[in-house]
Amino acid sequence: MGKSKRKVPGINASSTADISFILLIFFLVVTSMNSNFGLQVMLPNPPDEQQQDDPEVHERNLLKVYVNMDNEIMVTAGKLREGERPLMLKVDELEELRELAKEFITANTPGGKVNENYPEPKKKLDTITYINDAGLEILYPNGVSNIVRNNQHVITLQTDRSTKYEVYFKVQEVLYSAYNDLRDEFAKEVYGVQDPEKQLTADELELCRRRYVNMISEAQPIEIGKRK
Amino acid sequence: MPELNTSSLPDLIFSILFFFMIVTSMREQEVKVQVELPKGTELTKLERKSAITNIYIGTPMNNKESQEAGIQLNDRQLSRREVNNLKAYIVEEKERLGSKAAKMKVALKIDNNIDMGLLSDVKMQLRKAYALQIFYSANEEKNNGQ
């Protein structure tokens, strides 16, 4: 056993590639790429425990959307005047519903544009306060004050039991997009930014969201021919 | 002719492997119900994957002849008539989540052609089980400039 200068043979690494290939294929098989995208909805409490003192909403502050069994959409915004018929829309005309909903929501938002079709609600107005997770109160930027909640209106969405889910989803989405558009417009106006999603902080976006709170309420689907 | 040097090949494959490990997620269960999701543009991404329960509503794959819709919650399959059993399963699922139960979200993966009657029955079961945060899963539509 002398101090012979023996050369240590290198580890044969030629199979590492094969091993990692097997790992790679394993991961390709057991995992999936599809991330979860969708619409988030909050359900009301069970019917038997719902408080009976549901705030009464005046008809003029109601946007009624009804999807029938033939997947046609009937929209009644506010109180119909003498001889006025509800608006009937097809699934591919939903863009119209979006514009109508935006107009309706703005008109029913205190401080928004005045629209004689939808008189302003005269309920108690409460100002928006927002305290974030860190316990800091976030305020609207300078020059903007007295922002009140827009919880004066309600959008009701009712379907028939045989309405297709696809149509219901599209209507839901259009109503969501009306709120999103208004929040976007509000953010651009108040903060003076071009792309609110990218330029504003999460707290600022939350403030914009609270300016236009989602007031969609869903009624139980009705059976064909039976009306509530 | 000199041999091709393949010593960097393992590193290369490892980086691909890591890429896939990061961008993909584990498949939770085998889906036995065929579902064609609606398409949308105004979608939000669902975070916090651990507290999500998936409910699939669509055509059962093992019984192609019958056109009756089927419901799948985890590995359990229900037919349309058994929808009233759903509440018990959701409560069970909620208990399994333990401390995360308050953050439980139910992702509904519903086929385009399902009727609202069945969906409303499912929603009523969810309400009774106090699983109130729901999520209508959809695919992103790319052609719109949103």
Side-chain angles (χ1 to χ4, degrees):
Chain A
M1 287 265 255
K3 271 191 179 177
S4 58
K5 292 226 167 160
R6 207 148 50 91
K7 233 185 162 184
V8 182
I11 301 166
N12 187 357
S14 58
S15 56
T16 340
D18 302 336
I19 295 168
S20 35
F21 253 126
I22 293 165
L23 278 173
L24 178 64
I25 289 159
F26 170 75
F27 269 94
L28 280 175
V29 170
V30 296
T31 63
S32 59
M33 198 90 141
N34 58 341
S35 37
N36 257 325
F37 283 98
L39 289 182
Q40 204 152 348
V41 177
M42 192 81 189
L43 291 175
N45 279 335
D48 44 312
E49 293 189 29
Q50 211 161 23
Q51 285 134 7
Q52 286 303 302
D53 52 282
D54 271 349
E56 219 171 89
V57 182
H58 199 281
E59 207 181 334
R60 64 182 180 214
N61 303 128
L62 259 180
L63 178 72
K64 282 181 274 184
V65 183
Y66 170 64
V67 191
N68 73 5
M69 54 178 293
D70 296 320
N71 302 317
E72 290 165 329
I73 300 132
M74 184 172 91
V75 188
T76 320
K79 199 175 174 165
L80 290 181
R81 275 164 294 181
E82 280 277 305
E84 205 182 349
R85 307 278 308 272
L87 182 69
M88 292 299 289
L89 294 173
K90 291 256 156 43
V91 189
D92 48 0
E93 298 166 335
L94 278 173
E95 199 56 37
E96 234 173 287
L97 175 60
R98 184 211 303 255
E99 293 313 314
L100 188 91
K102 276 168 78 175
E103 196 181 290
F104 172 82
I105 299 162
T106 337
N108 276 290
T109 301
K113 260 181 257 153
V114 181
N115 187 323
E116 56 176 23
N117 285 352
Y118 319 114
E120 236 184 87
K122 290 186 180 61
K123 274 203 274 173
K124 197 178 134 271
L125 304 174
D126 36 335
T127 356
I128 301 174
T129 46
Y130 168 47
I131 294 157
N132 73 359
D133 290 341
L136 275 173
E137 189 173 357
I138 312 290
L139 296 167
Y140 286 100
N142 289 338
V144 185
S145 58
N146 289 331
I147 296 289
V148 290
R149 269 181 221 288
N150 74 332
N151 55 1
Q152 315 281 318
H153 71 282
V154 170
I155 298 180
T156 62
L157 173 56
Q158 187 167 40
T159 62
D160 194 278
R161 277 192 75 93
S162 29
T163 303
K164 250 170 80 178
Y165 170 68
E166 187 183 13
V167 182
Y168 163 81
F169 183 86
K170 285 201 168 130
V171 173
Q172 273 273 19
E173 200 198 6
V174 159
L175 294 176
Y176 270 69
S177 76
Y179 281 104
N180 284 342
D181 282 7
L182 288 171
R183 286 169 195 156
D184 249 36
E185 282 166 25
F186 178 74
K188 282 179 191 162
E189 187 191 314
V190 168
Y191 291 97
V193 291
Q194 286 304 308
D195 190 351
E197 274 303 300
K198 288 191 183 114
Q199 284 168 279
L200 296 184
T201 63
D203 283 338
E204 286 166 341
L205 284 172
E206 176 64 17
L207 268 187
C208 296
R209 199 188 66 76
R210 286 184 186 216
R211 169 63 171 153
Y212 290 104
V213 191
N214 187 330
M215 297 294 284
I216 302 170
S217 120
E218 280 179 64
Q220 281 298 312
I222 52 174
E223 299 262 16
I224 314 160
K226 279 186 221 159
R227 297 234 166 168
K228 254 216 291 201
Chain B
M1 204 175 140
E3 230 177 281
L4 189 68
N5 187 0
T6 57
S7 57
S8 60
L9 188 64
D11 303 339
L12 201 77
I13 306 301
F14 263 121
S15 10
I16 302 173
L17 176 65
F18 288 139
F19 169 76
F20 273 99
M21 283 169 74
I22 289 162
V23 298
T24 59
S25 57
M26 276 284 177
R27 208 168 272 168
E28 308 95 42
Q29 72 256 344
E30 200 189 335
V31 183
K32 297 175 194 115
V33 173
Q34 199 175 342
V35 172
E36 195 198 315
L37 291 178
K39 286 193 178 75
T41 51
E42 301 285 324
L43 310 175
T44 45
K45 196 166 192 262
L46 188 53
E47 309 289 347
R48 235 186 260 114
K49 287 209 160 147
S50 53
I52 291 171
T53 308
N54 287 311
I55 294 182
Y56 299 85
I57 308 176
T59 334
M61 281 181 205
N62 50 12
N63 194 1
K64 280 265 165 71
E65 304 87 58
S66 86
Q67 287 300 300
E68 202 184 46
I71 306 164
Q72 187 188 350
L73 176 106
N74 292 344
D75 50 351
R76 287 202 183 88
Q77 260 185 293
L78 292 171
S79 77
R80 186 185 195 114
R81 267 170 267 109
E82 297 166 320
V83 72
N84 290 333
N85 301 339
L86 198 61
K87 184 197 160 190
Y89 292 157
I90 297 161
V91 171
E92 213 173 274
E93 187 66 23
K94 217 173 171 179
E95 276 162 13
R96 205 179 55 83
L97 282 172
S99 60
K100 281 189 254 164
K103 284 176 184 164
M104 178 183 183
K105 279 187 187 148
V106 179
L108 293 170
K109 303 195 167 165
I110 309 165
D111 190 273
N112 272 333
N113 292 312
I114 294 296
D115 57 274
M116 287 305 294
L118 178 59
L119 174 57
S120 88
D121 293 343
V122 170
K123 280 204 295 201
M124 188 53 85
Q125 294 293 314
L126 287 167
R127 282 168 70 180
K128 284 182 179 158
Y130 283 94
L132 300 179
Q133 295 185 59
I134 63 163
F135 192 83
Y136 295 120
S137 289
N139 290 327
E140 262 198 321
E141 204 162 32
K142 289 275 151 56
N143 52 20
N144 201 314
Q146 292 276 340

